[in-house]
Amino acid sequence: MQLLTPLALALTALTGLVLVFHALRPRYTQQEVPSLRLWQTVTEALSLQARWRRIVRSLLLLVHLLIVLLLALAAAQPILTWRGESALHVHIVDASASMLATDVSPNRFDVAIRQAAASMGDQSGRWAVILAGSSPRLLYHGPSRQEAVNALLAAEPETGGADWAAAADLLATFGEDPSTIVLWTDGSDAPEALAPLLARDGLTVRVVGGDVPFNVGITAFDARRRGEDPLQYEALVAVRNFSERDASGTVRVAADESPLFTAEFALGPGQEQAYTFPVRLEGFAALTARLDVTDHFDLDNAVQMEVRGLETTRVALVGPRNRHLEDVLRVFPQVDFDVRLFVGPDDPYHLRVYDRLPHDDRPGTQLVFAPPSAGPWVEAPVIVWWDPVHPLTRYVEWSSVRVLRARPLPVGGATRVLVESTAGPLVTVEDRDDGALIQVGFSLDDSDFAQRVAFPVFMDAVLQLAHEAGRQPVSPAPLPPAGEASLARRIDPVNPADAGAPPEAVSVARALWPPLAVTVIALLFLEGWLFRNRGGNPLKLRRREGAFRPGRGKGGVPD
Amino acid sequence: MSSSLLQKLQGLRLVTRRALPGPRYGDLRSPRPGLSLEFADFREYHPGDDERRIDWHVAARTDELYVRVYEGEENIRCEILIDRSASMASPEPGKFAYAKALAAALGFVALQSGHHVQFAGFSDQLAYPVPALAGRRNVADLLASVGACTAEGGTNMEQVLARRVHEQPAPALTFVVSDLYDTEGFHAGLKLLRGSGREVVVIHVLTRAELAPPQEGAFEWRDVETGAELEVTLDPATLALYDAALRDWLASIRSICARLAVRYVLAVSDEPLDHLLLLTLRKEGVLR
């Protein structure tokens, strides 16, 4: 038996307190008696005049001592452990992308789960199966070997990495020390990442995979707009040799099955080669980069990327002409703006900019400068705070913006203040059903905001909020996590049995404080019953009354 | 006392172990020759003797004159001394009431038998509420004086009994009704009583609680006579010690009585009075 908090055993000292209470003379009931002649004889014999009395054996005292001792033991949180058939065998299977490598047939993951299932035949007790992917999952935990095997064989690998720290946390939730912990992995992760698991005592690491894996993979595939032509792009594809020998092959890029680019490569161990090439795309296109090479890891041999044709963002500048707004909007090639005095309900604008005019209530995003509905003008407000997280303000240094005068903006229930000044809110945003209402409490003519670099940054964020497709036409290609493509073994197998550690039965632990607490409660009830009945025991009374039989024989003879 | 008890008491008589001289003719055997029908002895004739008592058969055989002597029958003096100290009535009055009822019953038996009765209460002083009584007509006075007796004060039996012997040295049948907590004074006084030729009957009255304290717990007790206080925790061990001390005390009292040829009766205050009078005292030879 183990004690989780052995210091709590110090509470057993309370038994001394119980003894003191039993030895301490209680409060007295005052009574008159005919004579103390006989009692003085008795007290001389017992020394009852002392402060303390001799502790008498009583069931009540025994119950009190038991209660204190059991409480102290329960507070120490005893754990009863034993060794036997309930030994727990835990199998942790690496489900990261590198386990899809085919340097062993059919792949590393399949070999790992089959070897793990086979190893269960030699074990008895209970089993647990953990699939260690990006979010480790407990596939099975119980006494059935067959169900554990079935869960193991039904597992699928993932295309991401493995979170080993989360796997270790999951293992810790079992609340007992497993007799065996077997980690099935290809060993391609760094030992530092596996440290939480490797720190467990009794861990066995079984490494699957060939000794000389060969992999050449695409490490980057992206595209960006080039020049003023909205249909002209520049694409990038990078290839790396992850193996220890030379590699050569062809990289091909195609758009919707139409070849765009082809290049031969020859890479030494660890070398990487990047290729850039122009592409002209109209509308939506799916670009695919593919390596013509035979290696052990197919996941990084083909990558796909979506490129949409640049969509025009239509902006309406409502109000008197404003040179600052027109100049900044010309910077953005996807923007097509009109200067209007009025915007009708059917005009298809992604963004409506009101300069010193009230906004409307129609759907769509609106940007309002110095709205008339705001408060009275305040001279020279100083910006004191801005939201460093919100996309509209996070890249803008607002403290250097000087404002000659401004109208503090009203704040409603759904309004979020982005910039605060000594006069009140200067920039707010209110999310609506179809767009957002962005209000700026000052005019561009009344501040130096339009002359600062922060202004086009702010407008870029506004345009992105108003029309996402107009700014980012490329969806980057999803690539395997860094490190997964490197199939080389980075940790060695670990077998604690080789070090002499017993692999079989393990201690099974059970917390003892709940039954102890129940016992204490039962003893408390017993104590109450004993206390109520201690003075009125009819058997005692009859025995006392029978001590004398006055009137019998000569003058009443004691028994 | 109930009328039924008085009816039962009318048939009772006092019994003495030996003949006691009395003031006048009665129904108890006298140490002096008398006129009863019980033959006692012969003695030589002296001039002046009644010639009718000369036994002529003896005179014919011995040629001398002898007269027949018959036992005398006299009444006796009966003293009833009741302890009226505070311990008899506190904390519960049952013991003193029981003692008074017992004294009244004994006085009634003595009066209706023609004896002289002297009732006295004692604590640390001796008090005579009424003078000596004789005859049934004085039963009411006896009962009234017994009923008027109250309990108070301490106990000094040696001094009280010595005064009694000094004031009335003549032999008598003396009943002492007490709880006998003044055991040393009781011993010395009993010697004086016996030395004066009295025949003594000690009736020791105790309550049930004094014989067997029924409760357990912690108490602060105060002696009603001395005012002394004592803190006692009653538990089985303490009660066992009290039991032993009580046995020793009662044994010492019985030993004193036995050495002085005094009859001793232990009475418990919750015992029916007729049971004591009609059974226990008759069995002890005090009444018949």
Side-chain angles (χ1 to χ4, degrees):
Chain A
M1 188 173 68
Q2 294 176 327
L3 299 177
L4 294 184
T5 53
L7 283 180
L9 286 182
L11 292 176
T12 55
L14 291 178
T15 55
L17 198 59
V18 173
L19 292 175
V20 166
F21 284 146
H22 276 259
L24 197 61
R25 303 188 66 197
R27 298 176 66 86
Y28 296 98
T29 303
Q30 294 186 341
Q31 285 184 349
E32 286 189 339
V33 292
S35 175
L36 293 176
R37 174 190 179 88
L38 296 177
W39 288 109
Q40 282 166 345
T41 307
V42 172
T43 54
E44 286 169 6
L46 274 180
S47 300
L48 285 179
Q49 297 292 5
R51 182 65 183 162
W52 303 95
R53 63 176 180 176
R54 184 172 59 87
I55 294 177
V56 295
R57 284 180 300 171
S58 74
L59 191 56
L60 206 56
L61 172 60
L62 181 65
V63 169
H64 287 163
L65 291 176
L66 266 178
I67 287 173
V68 172
L69 290 176
L70 289 179
L71 277 177
L73 191 58
Q77 300 186 53
I79 300 289
L80 187 63
T81 57
W82 67 90
R83 305 175 81 82
E85 285 298 315
S86 294
L88 177 63
H89 307 283
V90 179
H91 292 266
I92 305 171
V93 182
D94 184 353
S96 63
S98 61
M99 291 292 283
L100 289 169
T102 56
D103 52 343
V104 291
S105 179
N107 58 44
R108 293 178 176 181
F109 185 80
D110 209 37
V111 170
I113 60 174
R114 292 188 186 285
Q115 289 185 1
S119 71
M120 289 181 179
D122 301 329
Q123 297 169 336
S124 61
R126 296 171 297 135
W127 292 268
V129 178
I130 295 176
L131 189 65
S134 55
S135 296
R137 289 180 294 137
L138 180 64
L139 299 182
Y140 179 76
H141 185 195
S144 170
R145 177 191 291 117
Q146 190 56 50
E147 290 185 26
V149 169
N150 292 342
L152 197 58
L153 296 179
E156 293 287 345
E158 300 177 359
T159 57
D163 188 346
W164 296 111
D169 292 343
L170 182 60
L171 184 60
T173 60
F174 288 179
E176 57 181 294
D177 290 330
S179 64
T180 59
I181 307 172
V182 184
L183 170 62
W184 300 90
T185 180
D186 57 2
S188 63
D189 286 327
E192 296 78 24
L194 278 162
L197 268 182
L198 294 175
R200 291 295 299 249
D201 293 334
L203 175 71
T204 301
V205 179
R206 299 289 177 85
V207 178
V208 296
D211 294 331
V212 187
F214 175 59
N215 182 32
V216 179
I218 298 171
T219 56
F221 185 41
D222 203 351
R224 63 181 181 183
R225 288 186 62 254
R226 179 185 182 187
E228 297 296 325
D229 186 353
L231 301 182
Q232 190 65 39
Y233 289 83
E234 184 178 52
L236 165 72
V237 61
V239 182
R240 181 173 181 179
N241 179 11
F242 293 97
S243 57
E244 298 294 327
R245 58 186 173 90
D246 294 339
S248 62
T250 305
V251 56
R252 302 177 192 276
V253 178
D256 298 332
E257 306 299 330
S258 301
L260 293 178
F261 173 78
T262 301
E264 302 287 335
F265 64 85
L267 300 172
Q271 277 191 337
E272 186 173 25
Q273 177 71 54
Y275 304 94
T276 58
F277 50 92
V279 179
R280 184 173 180 81
L281 299 172
E282 296 181 3
F284 179 84
L287 270 61
T288 304
R290 191 183 308 277
L291 295 181
D292 290 340
V293 67
T294 302
D295 61 7
H296 295 139
F297 193 55
D298 292 336
L299 199 61
D300 58 357
N301 288 348
V303 184
Q304 196 170 53
M305 173 178 60
E306 293 179 354
V307 178
R308 297 180 299 275
L310 191 63
E311 295 184 16
T312 301
T313 300
R314 299 202 60 191
V315 178
L317 294 178
V318 186
R321 295 187 70 106
N322 189 307
R323 182 174 57 85
H324 301 298
L325 285 172
E326 293 177 14
D327 288 347
V328 77
L329 289 178
R330 286 193 187 97
V331 172
F332 301 100
Q334 79 276 19
V335 173
D336 179 13
F337 69 89
D338 298 326
V339 179
R340 305 283 298 271
L341 291 176
F342 173 76
V343 177
D346 298 329
D347 294 332
Y349 291 105
H350 296 103
L351 174 67
R352 304 187 293 280
V353 181
Y354 290 92
D355 185 16
R356 286 164 285 185
L357 290 177
H359 62 83
D360 57 62
D361 294 329
R362 294 190 295 277
T365 301
Q366 304 175 67
L367 174 63
V368 185
F369 288 96
S373 59
W377 290 104
V378 177
E379 299 295 329
V382 177
I383 294 174
V384 294
W385 174 86
W386 69 92
D387 191 335
V389 177
H390 197 275
L392 289 176
T393 53
R394 59 183 171 184
Y395 297 130
V396 180
E397 176 61 34
W398 286 89
S399 63
S400 58
V401 175
R402 298 289 179 266
V403 180
L404 289 179
R405 61 173 186 164
R407 291 175 181 268
L409 299 170
V411 178
T415 303
R416 179 174 176 178
V417 177
L418 300 181
V419 177
E420 187 78 52
S421 73
T422 53
L426 288 189
V427 180
T428 62
V429 61
E430 178 183 345
D431 291 328
R432 296 188 167 186
D433 294 338
D434 184 15
L437 173 62
I438 305 161
Q439 298 191 90
V440 180
F442 54 88
S443 168
L444 291 175
D445 296 333
D446 293 333
S447 75
D448 62 353
F449 185 44
Q451 281 79 44
R452 296 190 172 275
V453 177
F455 183 50
V457 176
F458 173 74
M459 288 305 294
D460 181 49
V462 172
L463 290 171
Q464 183 176 354
L465 183 66
H467 188 215
E468 172 75 26
R471 186 175 181 279
Q472 181 55 272
V474 178
S475 297
L479 291 168
E484 290 299 317
S486 177
L487 305 179
R489 183 183 301 170
R490 304 175 68 180
I491 61 171
D492 295 324
V494 177
N495 188 356
D498 297 340
E504 275 308 322
V506 74
S507 352
V508 177
R510 185 175 297 277
L512 287 183
W513 71 263
L516 287 174
V518 171
T519 307
V520 166
I521 291 172
L523 284 175
L524 284 174
F525 280 105
L526 176 63
E527 191 268 350
W529 184 84
L530 287 174
F531 186 80
R532 280 200 312 274
N533 294 279
R534 68 182 185 129
N537 190 336
L539 293 176
K540 286 184 181 177
L541 190 58
R542 279 200 292 274
R543 184 176 63 79
R544 298 291 311 156
E545 288 174 343
F548 283 87
R549 291 197 294 273
R552 295 187 180 182
K554 275 191 168 290
V557 180
D559 290 337
Chain B
M1 286 191 299
S2 63
S3 58
S4 62
L5 178 59
L6 289 177
Q7 284 183 344
K8 293 175 184 175
L9 296 179
Q10 284 179 351
L12 294 179
R13 295 292 183 270
L14 295 177
V15 178
T16 58
R17 283 180 173 176
R18 60 184 180 87
L20 293 173
R24 62 180 186 176
Y25 177 77
D27 62 353
L28 286 181
R29 189 166 58 92
S30 170
R32 294 178 291 221
L35 301 175
S36 71
L37 299 178
E38 292 293 327
F39 172 76
D41 201 355
F42 292 100
R43 66 172 173 82
E44 291 180 354
Y45 173 78
H46 297 288
D49 287 340
D50 189 354
E51 292 86 357
R52 288 175 297 179
R53 292 187 177 271
I54 295 174
D55 191 327
W56 296 108
H57 295 284
V58 174
R61 286 196 300 271
T62 62
D63 202 19
E64 290 182 4
L65 293 178
Y66 288 89
V67 295
R68 289 176 178 268
V69 178
Y70 293 91
E71 289 186 346
E73 287 185 336
E74 295 175 338
N75 59 7
I76 59 172
R77 291 188 306 102
C78 177
E79 294 175 322
I80 302 174
L81 307 179
I82 179 173
D83 185 350
R84 64 179 194 89
S85 65
S87 66
M88 291 292 287
S90 271
E92 49 182 280
K95 188 164 62 174
F96 188 56
Y98 188 83
K100 288 201 297 184
L102 176 60
L106 292 172
F108 175 79
V109 171
L111 285 178
Q112 62 97 23
S113 302
H115 304 300
H116 286 200
V117 175
Q118 175 71 67
F119 171 75
F122 69 87
S123 53
D124 48 4
Q125 299 291 329
L126 195 59
Y128 304 100
V130 291
L133 303 172
R136 289 187 176 184
R137 66 180 183 281
N138 289 316
V139 167
D141 291 342
L142 173 69
L143 296 181
S145 62
V146 171
C149 186
T150 58
E152 58 185 355
T155 313
N156 191 340
M157 290 186 74
E158 181 180 8
Q159 177 181 318
V160 164
L161 297 180
R163 179 185 165 194
R164 178 62 186 165
V165 170
H166 177 73
E167 290 176 349
Q168 185 54 265
L173 176 60
T174 304
F175 289 94
V176 177
V177 182
S178 171
D179 53 16
L180 302 182
Y181 280 123
D182 180 18
T183 309
E184 292 75 19
F186 163 71
H187 189 191
L190 203 58
K191 283 182 183 176
L192 295 174
L193 288 178
R194 291 293 291 134
S196 67
R198 284 173 166 81
E199 184 172 331
V200 181
V201 177
V202 173
I203 301 179
H204 191 184
V205 181
L206 292 174
T207 63
R208 181 71 62 186
E210 290 171 297
L211 290 173
Q215 54 190 345
E216 295 183 6
F219 300 95
E220 180 180 320
W221 282 334
R222 191 179 71 84
D223 191 316
V224 295
E225 291 190 12
T226 65
E229 293 183 343
L230 183 69
E231 293 176 350
V232 177
T233 301
L234 290 187
D235 52 29
T238 312
L239 290 172
L241 281 175
Y242 178 82
D243 201 356
L246 180 67
R247 290 165 189 255
D248 292 343
W249 182 53
L250 294 177
S252 70
I253 292 174
R254 274 196 299 273
S255 173
I256 292 171
C257 294
R259 283 200 305 271
L260 296 176
V262 169
R263 284 177 284 180
Y264 170 85
V265 174
L266 176 63
V268 185
S269 60
D270 62 355
E271 182 185 12
L273 188 59
D274 54 354
H275 184 277
L276 175 68
L277 292 166
L278 302 176
L279 293 178
T280 307
L281 291 182
R282 290 176 75 175
K283 192 174 181 179
E284 291 294 315
V286 178
L287 298 175
R288 65 177 169 85

